[in-house]
Amino acid sequence: MIRLLNAESHQLPDEVELKRQQGCPYVIISHVWQAIEMTFEDMPHLERMSAQIGGSKFSSASKVIGACNTVLQHYKGSISHLWLDTICIDKKNLTEFSTAINSMWQWYKQAEACFVYLEDFPSPNAPTLTQSKWFTRGWTLQELVAPKNVIFFDKDWNMKGNKESLRQPLTSRTKISMDYLLHKQALSRASISQRMSWFAGRLTTVPEDTAYCLLGLFGVNMPLLYGEGKERAFRRLQEEVMRYSDDHSLFAWKSAVPQHLGSGLLAESPESFLETGDYVHKPSRQNNRPFQLTNKGISIDLYLQQYQGLYIASIDCLHGQNHYLGIFLECKLEETQQYSRVRTNEMCKVVGSARGQLRSIFVKSVDDI
């Protein structure tokens, strides 16, 4: 259940009030975390902390008060509840924390509005709105895309515009099409690689959050395992996406440096999708067998053709008219059709009429073979 802050009383609900709040209209506050933030446990002391100028949590407490006042002023009392991640989740309750992370996309989507607070705009480092560090953070991607109504405020809580009025600078900064930003087209129409490319270049404080903050963008859920590391968390995310999508653009990535020993079909980081924003999934009528994860790697049907001792595997993903993308594979075990991806910093274009022979293979990292 979502726990909302009462903007008038500055109180979080007790267990009885929490149940009554469900279905209540609310505003979500999006912001960049400071070094020291107010927490769920701090809320009984909000008034005192907001009055302690120079105190360690003065700035954060002032942000909470400013958010409450702005919600009440903007809606003239018709909406009096808000949600702010730093104070509305009891992070010591691991079940509640995990549920919140997996529910967050829906909470943003169902909000009456998302108020984006840009604490560093305007400033010398952010003379324009889209230069705010808010646009560099991982969690703020879903906070921009999920809600239909997103309103931007400067550091003094002055309203600067919304997604509609700021659509051109927002699209230019984020590389996200207006159709997806403004909910004119279903997000599922964007290929996996397109959505991955929107995240490339963004940062998270906690390594595993690189994967966890993308759950809603791909419509999947998974357990949170802090400590597993960024690469493993991101791999689990891709494996979960595979369960629900047959989009080959998941495999249309390039690493910064080549992996000479051989990798699997899944990327190590969203950064590998930096240049994939215009890749389109193109299902093949002939190649319609599902691909899946097995103990021998990813079982998949791909068009193969030999090339300089390797194979070019043509995936069902277009880059330009009638040009499929090709990745380089090396056969490791011929008798079991075991392959690994090599030259991972490269892809090539394959003409649709010359894709090679369709074969059933397994692709796995050489470390796992």
Side-chain angles (χ1 to χ4, degrees):
M1 291 188 291
I2 187 170
R3 178 187 285 110
L4 301 174
L5 176 68
N6 187 309
E8 295 179 321
S9 66
H10 300 164
Q11 298 294 313
L12 290 170
D14 57 23
E15 292 302 314
V16 175
E17 181 62 23
L18 180 62
K19 294 179 180 179
R20 292 175 183 165
Q21 283 187 349
Q22 306 313 301
C24 175
Y26 62 92
V27 171
I28 272 188
I29 309 299
S30 174
H31 65 119
V32 174
W33 282 36
Q34 302 171 3
I36 301 177
E37 285 282 353
M38 291 281 296
T39 65
F40 174 79
E41 292 79 14
D42 290 328
M43 283 307 293
H45 314 294
L46 174 64
E47 307 296 341
R48 175 174 59 81
M49 289 180 172
S50 66
Q52 291 180 335
I53 299 175
S56 62
K57 296 191 176 181
F58 169 75
S59 180
S60 178
S62 299
K63 177 165 54 179
V64 175
I65 298 292
C68 290
N69 292 339
T70 303
V71 169
L72 294 174
Q73 292 169 10
H74 189 85
Y75 288 100
K76 297 179 171 57
S78 62
I79 294 179
S80 57
H81 290 85
L82 62 87
W83 187 87
L84 182 60
D85 56 359
T86 49
I87 60 172
C88 292
I89 304 172
D90 181 0
K91 298 178 180 65
K92 292 183 178 179
N93 183 325
L94 297 183
T95 300
E96 178 178 332
F97 181 59
S98 180
T99 300
I101 297 296
N102 278 278
S103 304
M104 211 169 284
W105 178 274
Q106 289 302 319
W107 291 352
Y108 275 92
K109 189 175 181 179
Q110 293 166 4
E112 291 293 318
C114 174
F115 284 8
V116 175
Y117 177 59
L118 305 175
E119 65 175 341
D120 61 341
F121 168 71
S123 70
N125 291 329
T128 65
L129 183 143
T130 55
Q131 289 177 297
S132 169
K133 60 185 175 183
W134 185 88
F135 289 91
T136 69
R137 308 306 294 174
W139 286 103
T140 59
L141 175 60
Q142 71 171 358
E143 295 161 14
L144 174 66
V145 177
K148 188 171 185 179
N149 185 19
V150 178
I151 304 174
F152 293 84
F153 295 84
D154 68 13
K155 62 183 180 181
D156 296 317
W157 288 101
N158 298 307
M159 186 171 67
K160 309 308 293 186
N162 57 30
K163 278 206 288 190
E164 176 69 42
S165 65
L166 297 169
R167 60 188 183 277
Q168 290 184 337
L170 290 177
T171 297
S172 177
R173 178 66 176 83
T174 64
K175 310 304 179 188
I176 304 174
S177 164
M178 290 184 193
D179 288 343
Y180 298 124
L181 275 181
L182 301 179
H183 293 203
K184 293 182 178 179
Q185 196 169 65
L187 191 61
S188 58
R189 297 288 298 276
S191 71
I192 299 299
S193 65
Q194 282 181 301
R195 281 177 271 174
M196 287 288 190
S197 74
W198 298 344
F199 183 85
R202 291 174 177 262
L203 304 171
T204 60
T205 302
V206 181
E208 293 84 356
D209 282 346
T210 295
Y212 303 159
C213 71
L214 291 172
L215 294 176
L217 193 67
F218 294 103
V220 298
N221 298 99
M222 66 185 201
L224 309 184
L225 302 174
Y226 284 104
E228 66 176 324
K230 173 182 175 179
E231 184 178 331
R232 183 175 177 83
F234 189 61
R235 178 170 178 167
R236 282 203 302 126
L237 171 70
Q238 293 170 92
E239 291 172 351
E240 200 64 29
V241 170
M242 281 177 52
R243 293 181 57 197
Y244 297 95
S245 173
D246 64 351
D247 184 350
H248 277 204
S249 74
L250 177 64
F251 313 129
W253 52 268
K254 292 193 298 184
S255 61
V257 295
Q259 297 180 24
H260 297 291
L261 293 178
S263 77
L265 281 180
L266 302 180
E268 295 182 354
S269 165
E271 300 305 313
S272 298
F273 291 90
L274 182 63
E275 301 174 359
T276 66
D278 56 353
Y279 294 173
V280 179
H281 177 218
K282 180 66 174 178
S284 168
R285 184 173 297 178
Q286 291 75 30
N287 183 12
N288 57 11
R289 188 175 74 89
F291 56 84
Q292 58 185 326
L293 185 66
T294 74
N295 58 6
K296 294 179 66 176
I298 293 177
S299 174
I300 189 170
D301 289 357
L302 291 174
Y303 290 95
L304 299 183
Q305 54 183 302
Q306 288 187 316
Y307 176 78
Q308 297 181 359
L310 303 174
Y311 289 87
I312 294 178
S314 173
I315 60 177
D316 290 343
C317 182
L318 290 181
H319 184 209
Q321 189 172 3
N322 201 34
H323 280 97
Y324 288 85
L325 284 168
I327 58 176
F328 296 94
L329 301 181
E330 183 176 16
C331 184
K332 298 297 184 180
L333 294 171
E334 180 68 37
E335 59 272 22
T336 58
Q337 288 296 288
Q338 194 82 60
Y339 290 75
S340 290
R341 184 173 172 187
V342 293
R343 293 170 61 169
T344 52
N345 62 328
E346 301 177 59
M347 287 191 287
C348 61
K349 290 185 178 181
V350 180
V351 178
S353 59
R355 301 182 70 190
Q357 180 184 1
L358 187 62
R359 294 170 63 175
S360 298
I361 64 173
F362 297 93
V363 185
K364 194 174 188 179
S365 169
V366 71
D367 292 336
D368 298 327
I369 294 177

